[in-house]
Amino acid sequence: MTIPAPGPPDWRRELESLPRTWPRSLKDQTADPVARAAVRRAYEAGAPVAEIRRRTGRSLRAVRGMLSREGVLHACGARGRHTRLPPGCRSWAAHVKGVVRRRLADGTYRAEWPLPPYRVLARELGVEPGVVYKVVRQLRDEGRLRREGRRLVVVGTNPAPAEPRDRSPPPPDACRRVGARLRTARPGPASSRTPLLLPRTSFPFRIHSSDRNPVTRFTVLDETRRHPGLREQFTTVLHSVAPLVHETTGLALPAQVRFRLLTPKQWRTAVRQKFVRVLARDIADLELTPKEAVQARNAVKAAGFVPVLTWPLVAAVTMEAADGQVETVTAPRTLHHAGFLADERYLTRMTVHELVHHAQFAARGRLVWESLFLERRGLSSRTGGITVLEGHATWADHRITTRLYGTPVDHTRDARRSWRFRLHAALPGASRLGPRLAFYEQGAQLITTTVDMYGTAAVNRVWTDTSLLPTDEEIAAPDTWARRLAASPAGHH
């Protein structure tokens, strides 16, 4: 009678079967051949070091020591030790590429999530950062990764990591802590609610078949990793209001619309980097004297404290990111302090407002509206640009929320502000650090008058010609600006 050979053991079971009461000495732990073989097989199967540590209950030094004794990794502090490559690998780059590919396939690195930094991967795999950089660059050229600012994000869809079957999903109406515990209300009966833990956050939306770029892909990134329900709510609102934005403004949405949910610290950093990019563009495009460049740098450095004072007051900011794509950055804690998080109407109004800004960026093309030297760029009025931008978005969100709810949603009257919001709003000069309320009101009146007299086509001429921006006198007399727009030749829109 022939006894069949046993199949290959599962690395998870093999790790969990190791004794928990190992010798205390690190040298004795790494000398155990059974433990070393189990850790090596788990590592070659693509298991992250963190997973091996969790299942064995050992420290990072112990796991790395066992892998180094098996010839897979370089030992910490060991000089002159020759390590052998894993079986079947011609180089360390091939080994790193195989590990990253396996993790992309099995969902360890999930779609639309950032890849760990180079040095983290290099430290985990025991190779030089240059090897990881070479592999990641090859995967980016193949289309498996894409760059978003200083990060690399996984492209496409892959299966999510398998969860234990006995783990019940979190309740759909669970309270989430956003400064204080709040309950997010969702429409529909309780029996029809489902957990909002979906790995995919990008969905194509077709606006109109005759547009030049008819497909808009919405991407909502929760970089706080704490608000999956809010991420899904933003995605749903974006899909529902996108046709209304296109119909109301007459502007085509860009091919990519990206929203990022950040912590307050990340939000402040993103806004500061925006000022730095504006300065770098001015230095590259304009012939500045050394004195002007120094003054501009000092102004940007002094403006670094503005996000610290205004982060509870500014619900969202739409700007051009470092990778050239337009994105909206918002902080859930800011939404809580501003009174937007607990009411779907306010979230809808804010989403419409920022989505209009995305359409404005797409219509403006390569025209520069933000600069520290407006006169050098032919922008005579310092308030004309911000008045048109914010007034146009305010006019659009008033019209769209009226269609959705019967009356325009006014957050300045009904929103429940927190004590932190009221504290920051009461600081001396806080109202002058950002766009003033008068810009929104006067700009909305400008757009309303022009649309009532000549339609949206006349307003949309301003996006391709900065000379059509209103002057201070025309802001006070909207009829004058409307007639000048109507008399101007139609631009290439």
Side-chain angles (χ1 to χ4, degrees), residues 9 76 85 92 97 123 148 173 219 235 252 257 400:
C76 298
L85 289 169
W92 286 107
K97 180 179 285 189
R123 189 164 53 249
E148 292 186 358
D173 55 348
T219 303
T235 304
V257 172
I400 293 175

Side-chain angles (χ1 to χ4, degrees), residues 106-134:
D106 61 14
T108 304
Y109 298 148
R110 300 172 62 180
E112 303 299 335
W113 282 51
L115 196 72
Y118 299 132
R119 296 189 179 276
V120 175
L121 279 176
R123 189 164 53 249
E124 178 183 348
L125 300 178
V127 297
E128 294 294 332
V131 177
V132 180
Y133 176 77
K134 177 181 177 181

Side-chain angles (χ1 to χ4, degrees), residues 157-491:
T157 59
N158 49 20
E163 299 289 344
R165 293 186 177 181
D166 57 348
R167 181 182 296 180
S168 58
D173 55 348
C175 296
R176 301 188 181 278
R177 182 173 182 83
V178 189
R181 297 185 68 84
L182 298 173
R183 184 173 298 275
T184 304
R186 292 185 55 81
S191 60
S192 64
R193 299 176 185 174
T194 56
L196 299 178
L197 300 177
L198 302 178
R200 183 183 180 190
T201 58
S202 297
F203 304 90
F205 169 73
R206 186 169 297 277
I207 299 176
H208 196 274
S209 60
S210 62
D211 290 337
R212 183 178 180 182
N213 194 358
V215 176
T216 297
R217 183 170 294 276
F218 300 102
T219 303
V220 182
L221 302 176
D222 180 17
E223 301 183 22
T224 66
R225 306 293 177 87
R226 298 180 180 179
H227 306 281
L230 182 61
R231 177 194 65 186
E232 183 63 22
Q233 189 172 1
F234 267 117
T235 304
T236 304
V237 173
L238 283 169
H239 282 79
S240 60
V241 302
L244 302 179
V245 171
H246 175 63
E247 178 183 351
T248 303
T249 63
L251 299 177
L253 293 177
Q256 296 284 342
V257 172
R258 184 169 65 197
F259 275 59
R260 295 171 59 194
L261 306 182
L262 309 177
T263 63
K265 182 178 180 179
Q266 293 172 337
W267 185 90
R268 293 192 292 265
T269 302
V271 174
R272 291 192 188 102
Q273 291 176 352
K274 169 195 171 184
F275 296 148
V276 174
R277 287 193 294 270
V278 170
L279 173 60
R281 184 173 54 192
D282 286 343
I283 295 177
D285 296 345
L286 306 177
E287 296 181 358
L288 303 180
T289 62
K291 182 178 180 180
E292 290 175 337
V294 171
Q295 291 177 351
R297 289 193 180 94
N298 293 336
V300 170
K301 186 181 297 185
F305 77 95
V306 174
V308 179
L309 301 178
T310 60
W311 73 265
L313 310 177
V314 183
V317 176
T318 300
M319 59 185 179
E320 185 177 354
D323 59 353
Q325 182 178 344
V326 180
E327 65 181 11
T328 297
V329 293
T330 181
R333 286 187 59 187
T334 300
L335 301 180
H336 162 65
H337 293 308
F340 289 174
L341 197 60
D343 198 318
E344 180 185 357
R345 300 182 306 158
Y346 298 143
L347 279 179
T348 303
R349 182 189 183 277
M350 188 200 75
T351 306
V352 170
H353 192 96
E354 302 306 324
L355 196 57
V356 173
H357 284 320
H358 281 267
Q360 293 170 354
F361 267 99
R364 285 156 50 184
R366 297 182 177 274
L367 289 181
V368 178
W369 283 40
E370 293 179 316
S371 175
L372 299 177
F373 302 90
L374 296 176
E375 294 78 7
R376 296 282 190 90
R377 295 190 179 273
L379 304 175
S380 57
S381 176
R382 304 190 65 87
T383 60
I386 189 66
T387 302
V388 171
L389 291 174
E390 299 299 343
H392 184 254
T394 303
W395 164 82
D397 70 54
H398 281 181
R399 287 207 170 188
I400 293 175
T401 53
T402 302
R403 292 181 58 178
L404 293 176
Y405 304 108
T407 57
V409 178
D410 189 358
H411 67 284
T412 60
R413 299 180 181 178
D414 305 329
R416 301 180 61 180
R417 312 296 195 183
S418 69
W419 65 268
R420 182 178 289 274
F421 183 96
R422 296 193 297 269
L423 176 64
H424 282 252
L427 293 176
S431 60
R432 296 192 297 270
L433 296 178
R436 303 179 186 178
L437 185 61
F439 294 162
Y440 295 84
E441 297 176 349
Q442 295 176 354
Q445 183 62 34
L446 271 176
I447 303 300
T448 301
T449 303
T450 306
V451 171
D452 291 344
M453 295 176 60
Y454 303 105
T456 57
V459 176
N460 293 336
R461 296 177 183 176
V462 74
W463 311 122
T464 57
D465 189 357
T466 56
S467 64
L468 297 179
L469 289 175
T471 60
D472 296 339
E473 294 77 10
E474 290 175 338
I475 292 176
D479 298 344
T480 306
W481 185 64
R483 287 191 291 269
R484 184 161 71 92
L485 278 180
S488 64

